[in-house]
């Protein structure tokens, strides 16, 4: 959060009235016929009640200082908006597991505004790129300022290992460059490790 201070000059700090026309005798100094006006003592003018005839009143906005203190409250929220598309995932491994690993980088583009990938061998990847770029422009550009965009295409290796344990068939996954293992139904977790 950033606060900016701005001083503005107050133009209403002094109001001149000093004396004004008597409202009883309309400035003549006399009432009916030749009777002297008792309200203004025959002067035709009365003292200003706002300033007590001093010639100025204190501004209620700036309290006579002649300046206003104004601030603008600016809230800045930095965020990274991320969408993903997984192509050709017929392995059965949960997609959220792929966020934990890396793969071989096939394509990377980073700039102020990225453009959809053209001519990629897998047509579904090119279509997903076009959809995601259009979606980000429509969703985030109208209400925020996009500083940088990046799109990356990675090939993450996934190996499904089928095995038998005590005559019962089972499977596990080895995936990513880190060779992470996922075995949701692994039968004995206490005495065996996968290398």
């Amino acid at each position: 959060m950033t606060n900016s201070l701005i001083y503005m000059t107050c133009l209403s700090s002094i109001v001149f009235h000093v004396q004004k026309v008597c409202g009883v005798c309309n400035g003549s100094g006399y009432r009916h016929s030749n009777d002297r006006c008792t309200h203004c003592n025959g002067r035709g003018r009365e003292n200003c009640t706002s300033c007590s005839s001093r010639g100025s009143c204190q501004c209620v906005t700036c309290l006579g200082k002649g300046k206003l203190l104004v601030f603008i409250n600016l809230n800045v929220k930095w965020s990274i908006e991320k969408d993903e598309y997984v192509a050709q995932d017929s392995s059965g491994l949960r997609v959220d597991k792929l966020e934990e690993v890396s793969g071989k980088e096939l394509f990377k583009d980073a700039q102020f505004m990225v453009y959809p990938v053209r001519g990629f061998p897998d047509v579904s990847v090119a279509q997903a790129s076009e959809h995601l770029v259009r979606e980000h422009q429509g969703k985030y550009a109208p209400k925020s300022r996009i500083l940088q965009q990046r799109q990356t295409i990675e090939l993450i290796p996934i190996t499904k290992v089928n095995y038998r344990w005590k005559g019962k068939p089972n499977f596990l996954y080895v995936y990513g460059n880190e060779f992470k293992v996922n075995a949701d139904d692994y039968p004995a977790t206490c005495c065996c490790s996968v290398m």
Side-chain angles (χ1 to χ4, degrees), residues 1 8 14 32 34 51 57-58 64 75 82 90 96 99 104 145 149 151 154 159 186 193 195:
M1 182 166 62
M8 299 175 66
I14 299 176
H32 318 288
N34 288 337
C51 68
C57 297
Q58 185 175 5
N75 292 320
K82 181 178 177 181
S90 57
D96 63 320
E99 292 179 11
K104 180 181 178 187
R145 182 172 176 216
Q149 288 184 320
Q151 78 180 312
E154 278 185 316
T159 304
Y186 194 69
S193 65
M195 301 267 197

Side-chain angles (χ1 to χ4, degrees), residues 19-188:
Q19 291 185 341
K20 57 185 179 177
V21 174
C22 177
V24 177
C25 68
N26 289 326
S28 68
Y30 296 97
R31 293 175 71 173
H32 318 288
S33 65
N34 288 337
D35 292 338
R36 195 168 161 188
C37 179
T38 56
H39 185 72
C40 66
N41 293 327
R43 293 182 303 146
R45 300 216 170 272
E46 60 181 293
N47 290 337
C48 177
T49 55
S50 299
C51 68
S52 301
S53 297
R54 287 191 321 265
S56 65
C57 297
Q58 185 175 5
C59 174
V60 295
T61 307
C62 70
L63 301 175
K65 292 186 171 80
K67 294 186 180 196
L68 298 175
L69 180 62
V70 178
F71 71 94
I72 298 172
N73 193 8
L74 175 65
N75 292 320
V76 178
K77 177 190 167 208
W78 297 91
S79 66
I80 297 174
E81 305 299 337
K82 181 178 177 181
D83 286 314
E84 294 180 343
Y85 170 77
V86 178
Q88 300 178 358
D89 182 37
S90 57
S91 65
L93 180 66
R94 288 195 336 250
V95 175
D96 63 320
K97 295 288 186 183
L98 298 177
E99 292 179 11
E100 305 168 357
V101 296
S102 63
K104 180 181 178 187
E105 193 173 275
L106 301 179
F107 177 82
K108 184 175 186 177
D109 183 22
Q111 50 187 321
F112 168 70
M113 186 176 82
V114 294
Y115 295 98
V117 175
R118 301 276 187 227
F120 197 78
D122 186 346
V123 177
S124 69
V125 173
Q127 289 172 342
S129 170
E130 187 171 332
H131 171 74
L132 290 173
V133 168
R134 193 178 324 112
E135 183 180 315
H136 270 243
Q137 287 298 325
K139 192 189 305 183
Y140 304 114
K143 63 180 181 178
S144 58
R145 182 172 176 216
I146 298 174
L147 300 175
Q148 182 84 17
Q149 288 184 320
R150 180 178 64 212
Q151 78 180 312
T152 307
I153 300 173
E154 278 185 316
L155 179 64
I156 300 175
I158 302 172
T159 304
K160 184 176 182 179
V161 179
N162 294 304
Y163 66 93
R164 290 190 163 279
W165 175 261
K166 296 185 180 179
K168 182 180 173 192
N170 225 327
F171 61 91
L172 58 88
Y173 297 99
V174 180
Y175 58 99
N177 290 342
E178 297 83 357
F179 302 111
K180 258 194 135 126
V181 176
N182 178 270
D184 291 334
D185 299 324
Y186 194 69

